């Protein structure tokens, strides 16, 4: 059902189908690394399962701004949906201090279900 | 070398003086009186009113020497345990003068804060983060599989890592020094955490992180590895550390993490909206300038180029300074401390040219 992809949407390929793609990107942090996780869903049951979670997030709450201090993590969440009853694209920037409730549930589920990139044997 | 903290009435007197030989002290005093940041507000400590003040480096020619406020030069560390939750401050598990506890992260945080406090005091005459002996508060075991350490404006916070890519973040002394140094920047230059000023903020934290390790180990600039976050990666990761100050872009090259993206000079400067404008990326440029200059000078880096960087950060530096402005500030500070045309000033000027921040000889 889900996989980690860089460029494939998995959504919108068929105009009549229900499909969804969610990308969570992390930036900031003392390590300065920017990992990202992507899941795609197709079919009514899969898409609706994700949409319930997506719709529960406070997308209209506005940007909370940058937190105090330094080396804090910020999540960027992007959802692409192909379904008759919802708009096609949503974006949010969520500092880790605001990553609670449904935001936290969404990010945790995307990270858990995005397949990890395989690590080759050490050279 | 004697260092001290100056009460405000003496600051005011110094600020008014134009007497030859006291001009630099007067400048420092005026800076302190004019640039009192919100978090350097007067504090009540142990029932004694402690006014805002400034540390003067008595080793510098023309700088006054004072003594006062006994006790504030000793670290006041408190380590708390978040017990896997993302809630601060957590439960206090070790206070100052307590012995080691049965928790390596707690002891590493305690010792790391002590080592950073020692560097600031012994090398720069600075009593803690604010120069007034501010207590050093830290929290360990923050969150679950938490791959980060941060400064929240009041305390240092350390995660345990996910165990796959990162181990616990207290394992690196340079990272502990890095986080504490964000506090120093907050109380001094206040560099805005965005774009080039943010990258300078990050870079100064890396500088202090590297110097803490070198100071602890008694390493010269030539002996040092100039790595930030060495020992944080698990054995599965192809990498030495989070960053290399002497060779930005070479710290790791891993299947999962990718390659260290830090640029080594202005030709590679990264424009991005993420990471507050790439503050952890473009910091590689001033990082390399510092490491190159320190290696060129040789000896203990905190005595030469490190002291200059500290002077620049505590001098009249705009909070939105870009790389060029900071480079100029380091050259002014170096000339003041070591003399125009000195080996240190020449090495710093050459380093900024090498990384592409300065292209011409400075007009004197």
């Amino acid at each position: 059902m889900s996989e980690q992809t860089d460029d494939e949407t998995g959504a919108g390929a068929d105009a009549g189908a229900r499909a969804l793609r969610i990308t969570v990107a992390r930036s900031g942090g003392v390590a300065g690394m920017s990992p990202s996780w992507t899941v795609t869903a197709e079919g009514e049951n899969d898409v609706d399962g994700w949409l319930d979670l997506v719709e529960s997030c406070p997308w209209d709450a506005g940007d909370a701004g940058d937190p105090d201090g330094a080396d804090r993590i910020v999540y960027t969440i992007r959802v692409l949906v192909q379904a008759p009853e919802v708009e096609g694209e949503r974006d949010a920037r969520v500092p880790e201090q605001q990553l609670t409730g449904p935001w936290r549930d969404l990010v945790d589920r995307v990270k858990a279900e995005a397949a990890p990139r395989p690590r080759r044997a050490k050279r | 070398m004697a260092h001290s903290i100056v009460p405000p009435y003496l600051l005011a007197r110094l600020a008014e003086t134009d007497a030859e030989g006291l001009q630099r002290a007067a400048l420092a005093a005026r800076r302190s009186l004019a640039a009192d940041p919100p978090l350097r507000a007067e504090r009540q400590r142990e029932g004694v009113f402690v006014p805002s003040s400034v540390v003067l480096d008595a080793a510098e020619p023309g700088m006054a020497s004072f003594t006062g406020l006994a006790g504030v030069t000793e670290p006041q560390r408190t380590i708390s345990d978040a017990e896997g939750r993302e809630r601060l401050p957590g439960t206090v598990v070790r206070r100052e003068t307590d012995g080691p506890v049965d928790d390596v992260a707690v002891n590493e945080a305690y010792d790391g804060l002590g080592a950073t406090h020692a560097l600031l005091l012994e090398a720069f005459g600075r009593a803690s983060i604010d120069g007034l002996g501010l207590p050093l508060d830290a929290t360990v075991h923050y969150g679950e599989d938490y791959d980060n350490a941060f400064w929240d404006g009041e305390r240092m916070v350390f995660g345990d890592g996910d165990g796959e890519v990162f181990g616990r973040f207290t394992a690196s002394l340079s990272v502990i020094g890095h986080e504490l140094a964000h506090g120093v920047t907050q109380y001094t230059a206040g560099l805005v955490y965005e774009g080039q000023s943010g990258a300078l903020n990050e870079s100064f934290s890396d500088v202090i992180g590297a110097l803490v390790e070198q100071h602890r180990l008694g390493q010269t600039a030539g002996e040092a590895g100039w790595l930030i976050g060495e020992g944080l990666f698990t054995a599965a990761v192809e990498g030495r550390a989070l960053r290399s100050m002497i060779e930005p872009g070479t710290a790791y090259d891993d299947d999962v993490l990718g390659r260290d993206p830090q640029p080594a000079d202005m030709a590679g400067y990264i424009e991005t909206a993420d990471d507050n404008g790439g503050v952890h990326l473009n910091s590689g440029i001033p990082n390399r300038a510092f490491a190159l200059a320190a290696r060129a000078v040789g000896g203990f880096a905190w005595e030469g180029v490190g002291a200059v960087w500290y002077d620049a950060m505590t001098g009249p530096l705009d909070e939105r300074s870009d790389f060029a402005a900071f480079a100029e500030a380091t050259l002014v500070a170096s000339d003041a401390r070591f003399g125009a045309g000195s080996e240190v000033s020449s090495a710093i000027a050459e380093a900024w040219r090498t990384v592409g921040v300065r292209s011409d000889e400075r007009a004197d």
Side-chain angles (χ1 to χ4, degrees):
Chain A
M1 193 284 304
S2 61
E3 61 181 352
Q4 183 172 13
T5 59
D6 290 329
D7 302 314
E8 306 157 20
T9 66
D14 180 344
R18 294 168 67 81
L20 167 146
R21 184 183 70 177
I22 306 173
T23 298
V24 171
R26 198 184 84 178
S27 67
V30 67
M33 294 173 180
S34 301
S36 64
W37 299 265
T38 298
V39 294
T40 60
E42 294 180 56
E44 188 165 343
N45 289 340
D46 269 354
V47 171
D48 288 352
W50 281 103
L51 275 180
D52 286 345
L53 188 50
V54 167
E55 291 296 316
S56 69
C57 292
W59 294 92
D60 299 325
D63 193 323
D66 291 321
D68 291 335
D71 294 328
R72 302 308 303 262
I73 290 169
V74 174
Y75 288 93
T76 303
I77 303 163
R78 188 174 199 205
V79 178
L80 291 174
V81 186
Q82 179 180 293
E85 72 277 20
V86 292
E87 60 184 90
E89 183 175 335
R90 288 181 177 182
D91 293 282
R93 182 176 174 278
V94 185
E96 61 177 329
Q97 301 93 310
Q98 273 77 51
L99 194 75
T100 57
W103 282 133
R104 184 59 177 254
D105 294 340
L106 178 63
V107 167
D108 283 351
R109 185 174 168 195
V110 170
K111 289 165 77 171
E113 296 199 17
R117 187 175 298 167
R119 190 187 294 277
R120 293 193 302 266
K122 273 196 163 187
R123 290 182 288 274
Chain B
M1 182 182 295
H3 304 280
S4 63
I5 296 170
V6 185
Y9 70 91
L10 282 176
L11 281 178
R13 190 183 302 167
L14 280 168
E16 291 169 0
T17 186
D18 286 318
E20 192 173 353
L22 284 177
Q23 288 177 345
R24 296 196 61 239
L27 177 62
R30 281 196 292 269
R31 282 201 307 261
S32 180
L33 288 170
D36 212 17
L39 286 174
R40 204 167 73 187
E42 290 94 351
R43 300 173 186 282
Q44 290 283 8
R45 187 172 297 127
E46 296 177 353
V48 177
F49 178 70
V50 182
S52 74
S53 61
V54 66
V55 174
L56 295 183
D57 186 343
E60 295 180 57
M63 300 296 275
S65 175
F66 301 92
T67 59
L69 299 178
V72 300
T73 57
E74 297 299 321
Q76 293 295 323
R77 293 163 284 185
T78 302
I79 312 299
S80 299
D81 185 349
E83 299 171 312
R85 292 189 290 271
E86 295 188 11
R87 193 171 299 168
L88 295 172
T91 305
V92 172
V93 288
R94 188 174 176 187
R95 289 188 168 88
E96 193 66 41
T97 72
D98 288 348
V101 298
D102 189 22
D103 184 328
V104 66
V106 172
N107 297 330
E108 285 172 340
Y110 185 91
D111 293 343
L113 296 184
T116 310
H117 187 279
L119 169 79
L120 294 174
L121 189 65
E122 293 167 18
F124 309 133
R126 184 176 191 84
S128 190
I129 286 171
D130 63 346
L132 291 168
L134 185 76
L136 301 174
D137 297 327
T139 294
V140 299
H141 303 310
Y142 180 82
E144 188 176 348
D145 296 334
Y146 189 72
D147 282 338
N148 196 26
F150 62 88
W151 162 256
D152 79 343
E154 296 179 354
R155 69 175 46 242
M156 291 140 279
V157 183
F158 302 92
D160 290 328
D162 58 22
E164 295 181 4
V165 173
F166 290 107
R168 64 182 186 279
F169 278 71
T170 51
S172 168
L173 178 56
S174 60
V175 166
I176 296 173
H178 175 108
E179 298 308 332
L180 196 155
H182 278 308
V184 175
T185 298
Q186 178 175 310
Y187 279 84
T188 55
L191 289 164
V192 174
Y193 203 63
E194 183 180 8
Q196 290 199 15
S197 59
L200 289 166
N201 187 321
E202 271 301 308
S203 178
F204 184 68
S205 274
D206 280 353
V207 164
I208 295 299
L211 292 182
V212 169
E213 285 192 349
Q214 293 168 27
H215 188 252
R216 164 70 78 84
L217 297 171
Q219 282 182 330
T220 64
E223 293 166 342
W226 295 103
L227 296 172
I228 301 299
E230 188 175 20
L232 290 189
F233 288 140
T234 65
V237 175
E238 292 275 6
R240 298 176 291 161
L242 302 179
R243 291 183 280 279
S244 167
M245 293 182 68
I246 195 73
E247 294 179 301
T250 68
Y252 57 88
D253 187 357
D254 180 78
D255 295 340
V256 173
L257 302 179
R259 186 173 183 177
D260 175 3
Q262 278 210 310
D265 56 37
M266 289 301 287
Y269 187 89
I270 297 169
E271 295 284 358
T272 176
D274 290 334
D275 186 30
N276 297 88
V279 297
H280 291 90
L281 303 176
N282 294 314
S283 57
I285 297 167
N287 274 1
R288 183 168 171 237
F290 181 89
L292 287 173
R295 276 203 173 169
V297 171
F300 295 130
W302 60 86
E303 294 179 347
V305 179
V308 169
W309 250 241
Y310 178 79
D311 288 348
M313 286 292 290
T314 54
L317 191 67
D318 187 272
E319 66 180 9
R320 291 192 180 274
S321 292
D322 60 11
F323 290 175
F326 184 73
E328 184 65 22
T330 62
L331 290 165
V332 169
S334 183
D335 287 354
R337 181 177 276 268
F338 295 105
S342 64
E343 181 187 13
V344 175
S345 292
S346 297
I348 291 171
E350 179 61 26
W352 286 120
R353 278 194 294 274
T354 299
V355 301
V357 170
R358 290 170 58 86
S359 56
D360 300 309
E361 289 292 337
R362 183 163 49 118
D364 291 321

